[in-house]
Amino acid sequence: MTNTQSRGLPAGSLPVQEIFGPVPQGEGPFAGRRACFVRFGRCNLHCPPCDSKKTWDASRYDLRETCPPRTAEDIVQTAAAHGAGSGLTIITGGEPLMWQRSAVWGHVLRDLPGEVHVETNGTITPDPVTTRRISHFSVSPKIGRMGAADPQRKRLVPSALAAFADLARQGQAVFKFVAGDIAEVDEAAHVVRDFQLPQDRVWIMPLGDADTWPVAGADIADHVMHHGFNLSGRLHLTLGVR
Ligand code: SF4
């Protein structure tokens, strides 16, 4: 039985919630870059403020409808029709690295054109196939309100964070913490210290929606600088685009 069959999916498929683009990447060091997003279904965490609950929250959604199974060929062709190859392709979720043991994952990475990034919650160590193909990992460990529903041992996995810290030191990853106030910036700083993450590769992204994130950002900006971190905007929310 293959990895995907064992999760109740048809052989040769992975669950995909949406593929869209081209749109400007809204967050982190690549903000403004033309991007196609491929959003895989399922997640191993349950963050209360998650804006992608259609990928995992079976108590509210029928995941067979919100994340139908799609083949590698379909995923790649649809991504190409939405800008893959003419800008970044950003694989996101959910937690996309849950699928890296699937053959479909390998086919998608092999056949997607151009520069490919991964957005991950940092709990699963990327394997060699993934690290060879992915030019940038945006790693978002969950703290504060984002991490309120899961125990620390599930959110902060030392071996995975150590692997991503190595990639960050090589320029292949950044850490992106979502923080809504100064206390959550301090909590991020504790994680950076405890797990020896490279400080200059850390971004703090204000929690909130289009109206509230700039307020939170103004509140925490000085504190983010004080800790030696970078501050991320949320361009897509400000512009009202996806
Ligand atoms: S890790 Fe990301 S996708 Fe998963 S629940 Fe948290 S915010 Fe949502």
Side-chain angles (χ1 to χ4, degrees):
M1 187 173 281
T2 67
N3 182 253
T4 53
Q5 280 176 305
S6 67
R7 292 172 188 258
L9 291 162
S13 70
L14 287 179
V16 176
Q17 198 241 315
E18 57 181 353
I19 299 172
F20 63 94
V23 292
Q25 162 66 296
E27 306 170 352
F30 291 86
R33 287 284 302 276
R34 175 186 172 91
C36 165
F37 283 80
V38 177
R39 187 182 306 283
F40 284 105
R42 313 293 190 271
C43 191
N44 57 349
L45 296 181
H46 313 83
C47 308
C50 176
D51 60 7
S52 302
K53 288 183 176 169
K54 285 183 179 176
T55 63
W56 59 267
D57 190 351
S59 71
R60 296 172 59 173
Y61 301 101
D62 181 345
L63 300 183
R64 290 167 303 185
E65 283 184 11
T66 58
C67 305
R70 299 178 71 163
T71 64
E73 185 181 21
D74 180 18
I75 293 167
V76 170
Q77 285 182 356
T78 306
H82 287 85
S86 65
L88 308 176
T89 299
I90 299 172
I91 296 177
T92 187
E95 175 43 57
L97 294 183
M98 289 175 67
W99 301 113
Q100 68 177 347
R101 290 174 59 200
S102 155
V104 183
W105 174 265
H107 293 162
V108 170
L109 293 198
R110 182 194 66 195
D111 293 343
L112 273 175
E115 190 176 348
V116 183
H117 294 188
V118 160
E119 295 182 338
T120 171
N121 61 28
T123 60
I124 299 172
T125 301
D127 67 20
V129 170
T130 302
T131 53
R132 270 197 299 274
R133 176 65 181 98
I134 300 303
S135 55
H136 177 76
F137 293 87
S138 178
V139 184
S140 187
K142 302 309 177 193
I143 56 146
R145 276 160 277 189
M146 291 299 288
D150 293 296
Q152 177 169 325
R153 64 177 170 74
K154 282 191 70 181
R155 295 182 281 112
L156 303 173
V157 179
S159 55
L161 288 173
F164 285 118
D166 282 345
L167 290 169
R169 281 186 279 271
Q170 296 161 30
Q172 202 178 343
V174 298
F175 293 90
K176 186 180 69 187
F177 292 86
V178 176
D181 54 31
I182 283 172
E184 291 184 345
V185 176
D186 285 338
E187 190 177 344
H190 286 304
V191 174
V192 169
R193 183 197 61 205
D194 292 350
F195 292 90
Q196 299 181 305
L197 311 182
Q199 188 184 51
D200 63 328
R201 303 290 290 175
V202 174
W203 294 70
I204 304 294
M205 188 170 76
L207 179 68
D209 58 21
D211 294 326
T212 58
W213 86 257
V215 178
D219 286 346
I220 66 175
D222 284 348
H223 210 61
V224 170
M225 297 298 113
H226 164 76
H227 278 296
F229 303 149
N230 306 289
L231 183 67
S232 171
R234 306 192 77 164
L235 181 64
H236 55 307
L237 295 183
T238 303
L239 298 179
V241 299
R242 295 188 77 190

